[in-house]
Each structure stands twice: as structure tokens, then as C-alpha cells.
Amino acid sequence: CLYSFSGGCIASLPSVNIRPCIINCNPPEIRGAALTTANLIINLARGAGPSCLTSMISIWGVSRVDGFNILVTVFWTITAIQLALLSKTLPVDQDRMEKELASYAISAITNIGNDYCSLSHDDCNTVQNELFSRSDIGSYCGDTTVDGDISLFSIENQSLSFDATAAKQSLRFMSGALREIRGGLLSN
């Protein structure tokens, strides 16, 4: 009973942490498309599992219990391999995204001007040059918060609903992800 309880607790951890991983590795402009793609895959899997079970029962004549045991073992093995690949690529992807977002913030602060940042243009260039060696950018700029009228990124510029452009972004994201997974598998 203790093994079942602890197994159930551990089994729920990866699914909870995948969404933050997706958010941390994608730029703000495509996070919605990436999360939509993840939800589409989750919903597809909800239908694929029972279809596989029904096919296995009808083709090989296994019992329902044995079919569930086989499917759980196969799908959890696939998930474990994907999580192992994720543990290898996630830190690199997160660092790259943090650098890109920091660079974007520095360039946006430089473009806003000295009303919102205590740095001159040359000082902001110095910050940008030292960006990858220092993580305390806030100590350079003091208060870099922006009032309610002006923001670094306006959500109103983005589409409010899932349209054809978002669908194309989701498909491009999936295509790139599958290419990356294939490349990771071939390199191992």
C-alpha cells in the first residue's frame, strides 16, 4: 500500500512540471502557442491510450488487465526517455532564454530613455556587454519598473483568440520540437 501511494505521488510530478518548463524555454510571443500544442498532445494521448488498448485486446487477445499493464509500462518507458532528454537540454534552453529576455529588456530600457532608467546610453551598453557575465542587472538600473501607461511588451498587440496564425505557430513549434527530439535521439 505504501509503494502504491508513493508511486502515485511520484508519477504526478512530471506532468505538473512540464508547463513551467515550456514557459521557461520559449519567448513570450509564442508561449501561448507552445502551451496550446502541449494541451493538444495531452488530449490526443487521452484518446490514443484507449485506442491502443482496444487494438491490443482485439489483435493479440490479451486480457484487459494485462493490456493496461503493458501499455502503462510502454508509455512510462517512453516518458522516462523523454524526461531524460529534457534533463539534458532544459538547463541550456533556460539559460539561452534568460539571456535573450535580459538582452530584450536592456534594449527596451535603452529605447525608453532616461525617464525610466538611471543609466546613460553608454552605461546601458556597458550593462549589455557585461550581461552574460553578471546576473545583477537591477543593481545597475536602480528602479527600472515602468508605470501603467508604458510597458516593455504590450499584450494588446497579440491576438485574443486562437486563430490560423496561432495554429501555424503551433504546427511550426511541433515540427521544430520533433526535429530536435530526432536529432537528440540520433546523437545518442
PDB file of all heavy atoms in Angstrom, residues 102-129:
ATOM      1  N   ALA A 102      16.849  38.988 -21.107  1.00  0.00           N
ATOM      2  CA  ALA A 102      17.623  40.067 -20.489  1.00  0.00           C
ATOM      3  C   ALA A 102      18.112  41.041 -21.547  1.00  0.00           C
ATOM      4  O   ALA A 102      18.060  42.262 -21.351  1.00  0.00           O
ATOM      5  CB  ALA A 102      18.789  39.493 -19.697  1.00  0.00           C
ATOM      6  N   SER A 103      18.561  40.531 -22.675  1.00  0.00           N
ATOM      7  CA  SER A 103      19.005  41.390 -23.769  1.00  0.00           C
ATOM      8  C   SER A 103      17.845  42.233 -24.298  1.00  0.00           C
ATOM      9  O   SER A 103      17.997  43.423 -24.572  1.00  0.00           O
ATOM     10  CB  SER A 103      19.596  40.535 -24.888  1.00  0.00           C
ATOM     11  OG  SER A 103      19.950  41.323 -25.981  1.00  0.00           O
ATOM     12  N   TYR A 104      16.669  41.611 -24.415  1.00  0.00           N
ATOM     13  CA  TYR A 104      15.473  42.331 -24.854  1.00  0.00           C
ATOM     14  C   TYR A 104      15.118  43.441 -23.866  1.00  0.00           C
ATOM     15  O   TYR A 104      14.801  44.562 -24.255  1.00  0.00           O
ATOM     16  CB  TYR A 104      14.307  41.343 -24.980  1.00  0.00           C
ATOM     17  CG  TYR A 104      12.968  42.003 -25.195  1.00  0.00           C
ATOM     18  CD1 TYR A 104      12.627  42.549 -26.422  1.00  0.00           C
ATOM     19  CD2 TYR A 104      12.048  42.086 -24.158  1.00  0.00           C
ATOM     20  CE1 TYR A 104      11.411  43.149 -26.616  1.00  0.00           C
ATOM     21  CE2 TYR A 104      10.825  42.683 -24.340  1.00  0.00           C
ATOM     22  CZ  TYR A 104      10.502  43.216 -25.572  1.00  0.00           C
ATOM     23  OH  TYR A 104       9.299  43.820 -25.751  1.00  0.00           O
ATOM     24  N   ALA A 105      15.188  43.141 -22.563  1.00  0.00           N
ATOM     25  CA  ALA A 105      14.859  44.141 -21.546  1.00  0.00           C
ATOM     26  C   ALA A 105      15.843  45.305 -21.574  1.00  0.00           C
ATOM     27  O   ALA A 105      15.440  46.465 -21.481  1.00  0.00           O
ATOM     28  CB  ALA A 105      14.830  43.503 -20.160  1.00  0.00           C
ATOM     29  N   ILE A 106      17.127  45.006 -21.723  1.00  0.00           N
ATOM     30  CA  ILE A 106      18.137  46.067 -21.777  1.00  0.00           C
ATOM     31  C   ILE A 106      17.921  46.953 -22.991  1.00  0.00           C
ATOM     32  O   ILE A 106      17.961  48.184 -22.893  1.00  0.00           O
ATOM     33  CB  ILE A 106      19.563  45.465 -21.795  1.00  0.00           C
ATOM     34  CG1 ILE A 106      19.872  44.803 -20.461  1.00  0.00           C
ATOM     35  CG2 ILE A 106      20.604  46.504 -22.130  1.00  0.00           C
ATOM     36  CD1 ILE A 106      19.949  45.747 -19.291  1.00  0.00           C
ATOM     37  N   SER A 107      17.638  46.344 -24.144  1.00  0.00           N
ATOM     38  CA  SER A 107      17.419  47.164 -25.339  1.00  0.00           C
ATOM     39  C   SER A 107      16.134  47.982 -25.214  1.00  0.00           C
ATOM     40  O   SER A 107      16.076  49.124 -25.663  1.00  0.00           O
ATOM     41  CB  SER A 107      17.381  46.295 -26.592  1.00  0.00           C
ATOM     42  OG  SER A 107      16.262  45.449 -26.582  1.00  0.00           O
ATOM     43  N   ALA A 108      15.113  47.420 -24.573  1.00  0.00           N
ATOM     44  CA  ALA A 108      13.877  48.178 -24.378  1.00  0.00           C
ATOM     45  C   ALA A 108      14.089  49.337 -23.413  1.00  0.00           C
ATOM     46  O   ALA A 108      13.563  50.432 -23.623  1.00  0.00           O
ATOM     47  CB  ALA A 108      12.771  47.262 -23.861  1.00  0.00           C
ATOM     48  N   ILE A 109      14.860  49.115 -22.353  1.00  0.00           N
ATOM     49  CA  ILE A 109      15.146  50.184 -21.396  1.00  0.00           C
ATOM     50  C   ILE A 109      15.959  51.277 -22.071  1.00  0.00           C
ATOM     51  O   ILE A 109      15.718  52.463 -21.865  1.00  0.00           O
ATOM     52  CB  ILE A 109      15.878  49.617 -20.159  1.00  0.00           C
ATOM     53  CG1 ILE A 109      14.910  48.778 -19.337  1.00  0.00           C
ATOM     54  CG2 ILE A 109      16.471  50.723 -19.310  1.00  0.00           C
ATOM     55  CD1 ILE A 109      15.582  47.969 -18.243  1.00  0.00           C
ATOM     56  N   THR A 110      16.915  50.889 -22.902  1.00  0.00           N
ATOM     57  CA  THR A 110      17.726  51.860 -23.626  1.00  0.00           C
ATOM     58  C   THR A 110      16.852  52.691 -24.561  1.00  0.00           C
ATOM     59  O   THR A 110      17.023  53.901 -24.674  1.00  0.00           O
ATOM     60  CB  THR A 110      18.824  51.143 -24.439  1.00  0.00           C
ATOM     61  OG1 THR A 110      19.594  50.356 -23.553  1.00  0.00           O
ATOM     62  CG2 THR A 110      19.725  52.130 -25.129  1.00  0.00           C
ATOM     63  N   ASN A 111      15.877  52.058 -25.205  1.00  0.00           N
ATOM     64  CA  ASN A 111      14.992  52.769 -26.134  1.00  0.00           C
ATOM     65  C   ASN A 111      14.016  53.681 -25.406  1.00  0.00           C
ATOM     66  O   ASN A 111      13.600  54.696 -25.944  1.00  0.00           O
ATOM     67  CB  ASN A 111      14.226  51.775 -27.002  1.00  0.00           C
ATOM     68  CG  ASN A 111      15.120  51.082 -27.994  1.00  0.00           C
ATOM     69  OD1 ASN A 111      16.186  51.592 -28.340  1.00  0.00           O
ATOM     70  ND2 ASN A 111      14.715  49.917 -28.441  1.00  0.00           N
ATOM     71  N   ILE A 112      13.612  53.323 -24.197  1.00  0.00           N
ATOM     72  CA  ILE A 112      12.672  54.162 -23.452  1.00  0.00           C
ATOM     73  C   ILE A 112      13.343  55.463 -23.043  1.00  0.00           C
ATOM     74  O   ILE A 112      12.746  56.525 -23.102  1.00  0.00           O
ATOM     75  CB  ILE A 112      12.125  53.407 -22.213  1.00  0.00           C
ATOM     76  CG1 ILE A 112      11.185  52.298 -22.667  1.00  0.00           C
ATOM     77  CG2 ILE A 112      11.391  54.343 -21.281  1.00  0.00           C
ATOM     78  CD1 ILE A 112      10.726  51.406 -21.539  1.00  0.00           C
ATOM     79  N   GLY A 113      14.578  55.394 -22.643  1.00  0.00           N
ATOM     80  CA  GLY A 113      15.293  56.615 -22.288  1.00  0.00           C
ATOM     81  C   GLY A 113      15.503  56.740 -20.798  1.00  0.00           C
ATOM     82  O   GLY A 113      15.162  55.868 -20.022  1.00  0.00           O
ATOM     83  N   ASN A 114      16.058  57.875 -20.398  1.00  0.00           N
ATOM     84  CA  ASN A 114      16.455  58.072 -19.019  1.00  0.00           C
ATOM     85  C   ASN A 114      15.297  58.396 -18.087  1.00  0.00           C
ATOM     86  O   ASN A 114      15.493  58.516 -16.894  1.00  0.00           O
ATOM     87  CB  ASN A 114      17.515  59.177 -18.933  1.00  0.00           C
ATOM     88  CG  ASN A 114      18.824  58.712 -19.539  1.00  0.00           C
ATOM     89  OD1 ASN A 114      19.116  57.525 -19.530  1.00  0.00           O
ATOM     90  ND2 ASN A 114      19.595  59.633 -20.081  1.00  0.00           N
ATOM     91  N   ASP A 115      14.076  58.578 -18.620  1.00  0.00           N
ATOM     92  CA  ASP A 115      12.935  58.813 -17.739  1.00  0.00           C
ATOM     93  C   ASP A 115      12.648  57.595 -16.869  1.00  0.00           C
ATOM     94  O   ASP A 115      12.120  57.705 -15.780  1.00  0.00           O
ATOM     95  CB  ASP A 115      11.679  59.143 -18.557  1.00  0.00           C
ATOM     96  CG  ASP A 115      11.809  60.489 -19.250  1.00  0.00           C
ATOM     97  OD1 ASP A 115      12.647  61.307 -18.794  1.00  0.00           O
ATOM     98  OD2 ASP A 115      11.106  60.710 -20.239  1.00  0.00           O
ATOM     99  N   TYR A 116      12.962  56.420 -17.373  1.00  0.00           N
ATOM    100  CA  TYR A 116      12.625  55.194 -16.672  1.00  0.00           C
ATOM    101  C   TYR A 116      13.843  54.438 -16.187  1.00  0.00           C
ATOM    102  O   TYR A 116      13.715  53.437 -15.536  1.00  0.00           O
ATOM    103  CB  TYR A 116      11.796  54.283 -17.582  1.00  0.00           C
ATOM    104  CG  TYR A 116      10.486  54.911 -17.940  1.00  0.00           C
ATOM    105  CD1 TYR A 116      10.308  55.534 -19.165  1.00  0.00           C
ATOM    106  CD2 TYR A 116       9.444  54.922 -17.028  1.00  0.00           C
ATOM    107  CE1 TYR A 116       9.104  56.140 -19.482  1.00  0.00           C
ATOM    108  CE2 TYR A 116       8.251  55.523 -17.334  1.00  0.00           C
ATOM    109  CZ  TYR A 116       8.080  56.125 -18.561  1.00  0.00           C
ATOM    110  OH  TYR A 116       6.907  56.711 -18.864  1.00  0.00           O
ATOM    111  N   CYS A 117      15.022  54.876 -16.534  1.00  0.00           N
ATOM    112  CA  CYS A 117      16.229  54.176 -16.119  1.00  0.00           C
ATOM    113  C   CYS A 117      17.296  55.213 -15.820  1.00  0.00           C
ATOM    114  O   CYS A 117      17.436  56.196 -16.529  1.00  0.00           O
ATOM    115  CB  CYS A 117      16.692  53.234 -17.233  1.00  0.00           C
ATOM    116  SG  CYS A 117      18.141  52.283 -16.836  1.00  0.00           S
ATOM    117  N   SER A 118      18.052  54.982 -14.770  1.00  0.00           N
ATOM    118  CA  SER A 118      19.048  55.959 -14.363  1.00  0.00           C
ATOM    119  C   SER A 118      20.350  55.838 -15.146  1.00  0.00           C
ATOM    120  O   SER A 118      21.334  56.461 -14.799  1.00  0.00           O
ATOM    121  CB  SER A 118      19.328  55.800 -12.865  1.00  0.00           C
ATOM    122  OG  SER A 118      19.823  54.504 -12.618  1.00  0.00           O
ATOM    123  N   LEU A 119      20.366  55.054 -16.217  1.00  0.00           N
ATOM    124  CA  LEU A 119      21.582  54.852 -16.987  1.00  0.00           C
ATOM    125  C   LEU A 119      21.625  55.744 -18.221  1.00  0.00           C
ATOM    126  O   LEU A 119      20.612  56.012 -18.843  1.00  0.00           O
ATOM    127  CB  LEU A 119      21.674  53.398 -17.478  1.00  0.00           C
ATOM    128  CG  LEU A 119      21.837  52.328 -16.433  1.00  0.00           C
ATOM    129  CD1 LEU A 119      21.865  50.972 -17.110  1.00  0.00           C
ATOM    130  CD2 LEU A 119      23.097  52.536 -15.641  1.00  0.00           C
ATOM    131  N   SER A 120      22.819  56.164 -18.589  1.00  0.00           N
ATOM    132  CA  SER A 120      23.006  56.826 -19.872  1.00  0.00           C
ATOM    133  C   SER A 120      23.100  55.748 -20.941  1.00  0.00           C
ATOM    134  O   SER A 120      23.171  54.559 -20.651  1.00  0.00           O
ATOM    135  CB  SER A 120      24.289  57.656 -19.856  1.00  0.00           C
ATOM    136  OG  SER A 120      25.407  56.800 -19.761  1.00  0.00           O
ATOM    137  N   HIS A 121      23.137  56.141 -22.204  1.00  0.00           N
ATOM    138  CA  HIS A 121      23.217  55.189 -23.301  1.00  0.00           C
ATOM    139  C   HIS A 121      24.505  54.357 -23.206  1.00  0.00           C
ATOM    140  O   HIS A 121      24.486  53.153 -23.411  1.00  0.00           O
ATOM    141  CB  HIS A 121      23.140  55.941 -24.632  1.00  0.00           C
ATOM    142  CG  HIS A 121      23.137  55.048 -25.825  1.00  0.00           C
ATOM    143  ND1 HIS A 121      22.095  54.210 -26.109  1.00  0.00           N
ATOM    144  CD2 HIS A 121      24.075  54.844 -26.782  1.00  0.00           C
ATOM    145  CE1 HIS A 121      22.363  53.528 -27.203  1.00  0.00           C
ATOM    146  NE2 HIS A 121      23.573  53.907 -27.636  1.00  0.00           N
ATOM    147  N   ASP A 122      25.634  55.007 -22.878  1.00  0.00           N
ATOM    148  CA  ASP A 122      26.900  54.293 -22.759  1.00  0.00           C
ATOM    149  C   ASP A 122      26.865  53.294 -21.601  1.00  0.00           C
ATOM    150  O   ASP A 122      27.398  52.189 -21.705  1.00  0.00           O
ATOM    151  CB  ASP A 122      28.065  55.274 -22.556  1.00  0.00           C
ATOM    152  CG  ASP A 122      28.323  56.109 -23.800  1.00  0.00           C
ATOM    153  OD1 ASP A 122      27.990  55.622 -24.912  1.00  0.00           O
ATOM    154  OD2 ASP A 122      28.847  57.224 -23.659  1.00  0.00           O
ATOM    155  N   ASP A 123      26.233  53.691 -20.483  1.00  0.00           N
ATOM    156  CA  ASP A 123      26.136  52.780 -19.344  1.00  0.00           C
ATOM    157  C   ASP A 123      25.284  51.563 -19.689  1.00  0.00           C
ATOM    158  O   ASP A 123      25.588  50.453 -19.276  1.00  0.00           O
ATOM    159  CB  ASP A 123      25.555  53.491 -18.123  1.00  0.00           C
ATOM    160  CG  ASP A 123      26.525  54.508 -17.536  1.00  0.00           C
ATOM    161  OD1 ASP A 123      27.739  54.362 -17.763  1.00  0.00           O
ATOM    162  OD2 ASP A 123      26.057  55.434 -16.860  1.00  0.00           O
ATOM    163  N   CYS A 124      24.205  51.775 -20.434  1.00  0.00           N
ATOM    164  CA  CYS A 124      23.367  50.648 -20.837  1.00  0.00           C
ATOM    165  C   CYS A 124      24.144  49.719 -21.772  1.00  0.00           C
ATOM    166  O   CYS A 124      23.985  48.505 -21.713  1.00  0.00           O
ATOM    167  CB  CYS A 124      22.082  51.118 -21.515  1.00  0.00           C
ATOM    168  SG  CYS A 124      20.826  51.651 -20.333  1.00  0.00           S
ATOM    169  N   ASN A 125      24.992  50.282 -22.644  1.00  0.00           N
ATOM    170  CA  ASN A 125      25.837  49.424 -23.489  1.00  0.00           C
ATOM    171  C   ASN A 125      26.807  48.624 -22.639  1.00  0.00           C
ATOM    172  O   ASN A 125      27.092  47.466 -22.930  1.00  0.00           O
ATOM    173  CB  ASN A 125      26.603  50.263 -24.524  1.00  0.00           C
ATOM    174  CG  ASN A 125      25.700  50.740 -25.634  1.00  0.00           C
ATOM    175  OD1 ASN A 125      24.672  50.129 -25.897  1.00  0.00           O
ATOM    176  ND2 ASN A 125      26.083  51.830 -26.283  1.00  0.00           N
ATOM    177  N   THR A 126      27.345  49.248 -21.594  1.00  0.00           N
ATOM    178  CA  THR A 126      28.235  48.525 -20.682  1.00  0.00           C
ATOM    179  C   THR A 126      27.489  47.385 -20.016  1.00  0.00           C
ATOM    180  O   THR A 126      28.005  46.266 -19.914  1.00  0.00           O
ATOM    181  CB  THR A 126      28.795  49.484 -19.611  1.00  0.00           C
ATOM    182  OG1 THR A 126      29.458  50.557 -20.254  1.00  0.00           O
ATOM    183  CG2 THR A 126      29.729  48.755 -18.671  1.00  0.00           C
ATOM    184  N   VAL A 127      26.271  47.645 -19.586  1.00  0.00           N
ATOM    185  CA  VAL A 127      25.455  46.597 -18.969  1.00  0.00           C
ATOM    186  C   VAL A 127      25.217  45.480 -19.972  1.00  0.00           C
ATOM    187  O   VAL A 127      25.328  44.294 -19.652  1.00  0.00           O
ATOM    188  CB  VAL A 127      24.115  47.167 -18.466  1.00  0.00           C
ATOM    189  CG1 VAL A 127      23.184  46.047 -18.039  1.00  0.00           C
ATOM    190  CG2 VAL A 127      24.344  48.125 -17.327  1.00  0.00           C
ATOM    191  N   GLN A 128      24.900  45.849 -21.205  1.00  0.00           N
ATOM    192  CA  GLN A 128      24.633  44.849 -22.226  1.00  0.00           C
ATOM    193  C   GLN A 128      25.878  44.002 -22.490  1.00  0.00           C
ATOM    194  O   GLN A 128      25.785  42.792 -22.666  1.00  0.00           O
ATOM    195  CB  GLN A 128      24.181  45.543 -23.505  1.00  0.00           C
ATOM    196  CG  GLN A 128      23.352  44.677 -24.404  1.00  0.00           C
ATOM    197  CD  GLN A 128      22.627  45.514 -25.431  1.00  0.00           C
ATOM    198  OE1 GLN A 128      22.895  46.692 -25.603  1.00  0.00           O
ATOM    199  NE2 GLN A 128      21.700  44.902 -26.129  1.00  0.00           N
ATOM    200  N   ASN A 129      27.059  44.616 -22.501  1.00  0.00           N
ATOM    201  CA  ASN A 129      28.291  43.866 -22.733  1.00  0.00           C
ATOM    202  C   ASN A 129      28.613  42.938 -21.577  1.00  0.00           C
ATOM    203  O   ASN A 129      29.173  41.866 -21.759  1.00  0.00           O
ATOM    204  CB  ASN A 129      29.462  44.821 -22.978  1.00  0.00           C
ATOM    205  CG  ASN A 129      29.330  45.552 -24.287  1.00  0.00           C
ATOM    206  OD1 ASN A 129      28.664  45.076 -25.207  1.00  0.00           O
ATOM    207  ND2 ASN A 129      29.960  46.710 -24.383  1.00  0.00           N
TER     208      ASN A 129
END
